[in-house]
Amino acid sequence: MPELTRRGFIAASIAAGTARHLPQIARAKPKVILELVFDKGLGMMRAVERVVR
């Protein structure tokens, strides 16, 4: 196994982290749906946001 310097280790760690999170960044943004629901406790309608991926 090759010897890694501190600078090489940091660069490899950043590259691995970027490769791991890249598919999540490339995905489409989640949709936010606003729903009106009747809340029996309040006795009135209230707005509820749902996040759909």
Side-chain angles (χ1 to χ4, degrees):
M1 187 167 164
E3 298 272 334
L4 283 178
T5 62
R6 182 180 299 160
R7 186 176 291 166
F9 175 76
I10 292 171
S13 299
I14 292 172
T18 301
R20 182 177 179 188
H21 293 289
L22 191 59
Q24 294 175 358
I25 295 169
R27 261 190 266 173
K29 292 183 180 180
K31 294 181 182 179
V32 178
I33 299 175
L34 184 65
E35 294 180 335
L36 290 174
V37 296
F38 186 76
D39 190 340
K40 292 181 182 178
L42 294 174
M44 58 188 275
M45 299 291 283
R46 66 184 179 103
V48 176
E49 285 186 348
R50 272 192 335 167
V51 178
V52 179
R53 291 186 180 237

